[in-house]
Amino acid sequence: MLSRQGVNAIVAMAAGYITGYLTAKAKLPTFIVTLGISTYIRGMAYVLSTGYPIALSDPLFKSFRSGTVFATPMPVFIVASTYVNAFLPFGYTMFDRHIYAIGGIEEASSPTGIKVGANLIKVYI
């Protein structure tokens, strides 16, 4: 049986796949697709929670928000890990270089052999 976090991850990945597919394959504007998907997800969250806020009372979550490690606030570690995992290796893998090329000029990336649609779907997932 999947935990709540597992179900949330699967729903988020499915929403990302749908967004990527509609953007890459159906050629719909990115802004419209992401706005529509986020509105749909918020509406479903409202229906499933019956309009009541869901309190996060897990002590682990609270420690991420307001905890400290060696007198350093936890958000500093979160920002540092985001930088290390997302921005530092950017450009060193083939996937990162493809994304960089697609972001520059999407139409010029396709003749070079880059699978634009597949890479855009991966980005949204």
Side-chain angles (χ1 to χ4, degrees):
M1 177 180 240
L2 285 174
S3 65
R4 181 177 293 174
Q5 290 84 5
V7 172
N8 292 342
I10 290 171
V11 169
M13 288 174 65
Y17 180 80
I18 292 168
T19 303
Y21 183 82
L22 290 174
T23 301
K25 302 294 183 182
K27 301 292 185 196
L28 294 174
T30 306
F31 178 75
I32 301 300
V33 173
T34 54
L35 183 64
I37 293 289
S38 67
T39 303
Y40 176 76
I41 295 290
R42 284 185 184 187
M44 289 304 298
Y46 183 77
V47 168
L48 292 175
S49 68
T50 61
Y52 292 104
I54 299 172
L56 298 173
S57 59
D58 187 12
L60 181 63
F61 180 76
K62 288 181 180 179
S63 70
F64 277 131
R65 181 180 56 183
S66 60
T68 60
V69 176
F70 301 119
T72 304
M74 189 58 90
V76 172
F77 288 106
I78 294 171
V79 169
S81 67
T82 301
Y83 177 76
V84 168
N85 290 322
F87 301 116
L88 195 61
F90 190 74
Y92 294 108
T93 66
M94 194 61 68
F95 177 69
D96 293 337
R97 290 179 186 177
H98 288 180
I99 296 306
Y100 188 71
I102 292 169
I105 301 174
E106 186 175 329
E107 292 81 17
S109 301
S110 184
T112 63
I114 297 174
K115 297 179 181 175
V116 175
N119 282 323
L120 284 177
I121 291 173
K122 289 178 191 175
V123 166
Y124 281 103
I125 291 177

